[in-house]
Amino acid sequence: MADDHKATDVGARYAQALFDLAVENNELAAVEADLKSIKAMYGESKDLRTLFASPAFTSADKGAALGQIAVRAGFADTTRKFIGLLAANGRVSALMGAITSFAALSAAYRGVVAAEVTTAIPMTAAQTDGLASALRLSLGKTPEIETRVDPAILGGVKVRVGSRLYDASLKSKLDSLKFALKRA
């Protein structure tokens, strides 16, 4: 757990430097889009997750692979240089933390709040709009919703806004009921 915290701290420092540079170069939208692409690729590709996690690959190997991904995807120069810097400093493991921190910095800069919504099945556009309205009223800020599907929650919804988690999933409710029955 302490290692995760260290990686997050390192990622946050790199994210702040990247954010400052992206704002200075007027590339905030492009860099943010590039980082969202990397996050999506990471979520979809077991090979990419293995590359990041495996000590069998050197920092140079990881940097070369990420560099090729960045070139093929047409990422902004700032993003490509950032990825190269992470690899050169042996910090590829901090990339996902940096992406999360960068998204939070960008959202705050734009006056919105990032919300990660997890459901058991994909939400319809009407459901997403309704949730966005409810979050806007509750938080007092415009939410920028990122959705993901996780059938393991069985039903309901989980919403993460910053460090707060609102868990109205069926799995959580069943776990609470199971715990209550064990105590009785």
Side-chain angles (χ1 to χ4, degrees):
M1 187 77 165
D3 289 342
D4 290 344
H5 184 65
K6 283 183 184 176
T8 302
D9 289 347
V10 169
R13 288 193 303 270
Y14 276 96
Q16 183 66 58
L18 177 60
F19 175 78
D20 292 343
L21 189 59
V23 169
E24 182 179 311
N25 292 338
N26 199 26
E27 291 185 312
L28 184 60
V31 171
E32 187 169 18
D34 294 345
L35 295 180
K36 283 182 181 180
S37 294
I38 292 170
K39 185 176 181 181
M41 288 178 215
Y42 182 83
E44 295 169 4
S45 172
K46 183 179 179 189
D47 291 339
L48 189 56
R49 289 189 301 273
T50 299
L51 173 73
F52 278 36
S54 177
F57 297 102
T58 66
S59 292
D61 294 336
K62 293 175 184 182
L66 286 172
Q68 287 299 312
I69 290 170
V71 168
R72 288 188 181 151
F75 289 168
D77 286 341
T78 302
T79 307
R80 290 199 312 263
K81 289 176 184 175
F82 172 72
I83 290 169
L85 178 67
L86 279 178
N89 290 343
R91 298 293 192 177
V92 171
S93 62
L95 179 58
M96 298 315 292
I99 290 172
T100 300
S101 294
F102 186 92
L105 290 167
S106 179
Y109 180 78
R110 291 180 285 113
V112 299
V113 62
E116 182 180 293
V117 177
T118 305
T119 56
I121 59 173
M123 292 184 358
T124 65
Q127 290 170 326
T128 303
D129 291 344
L131 181 61
S133 294
L135 286 172
R136 191 176 303 109
L137 286 172
S138 175
L139 302 170
K141 289 186 177 182
T142 302
E144 199 169 74
I145 296 177
E146 178 181 328
T147 60
R148 65 183 201 106
V149 175
D150 181 4
I153 71 168
L154 304 176
V157 64
K158 284 182 172 183
V159 179
R160 179 174 300 279
V161 178
S163 62
R164 289 186 281 174
L165 175 66
Y166 304 96
D167 189 348
S169 68
L170 183 56
K171 181 179 182 344
S172 177
K173 291 178 191 275
L174 289 172
D175 287 345
S176 295
L177 181 60
K178 185 168 92 175
F179 180 73
L181 289 172
K182 281 185 179 180
R183 292 188 68 183

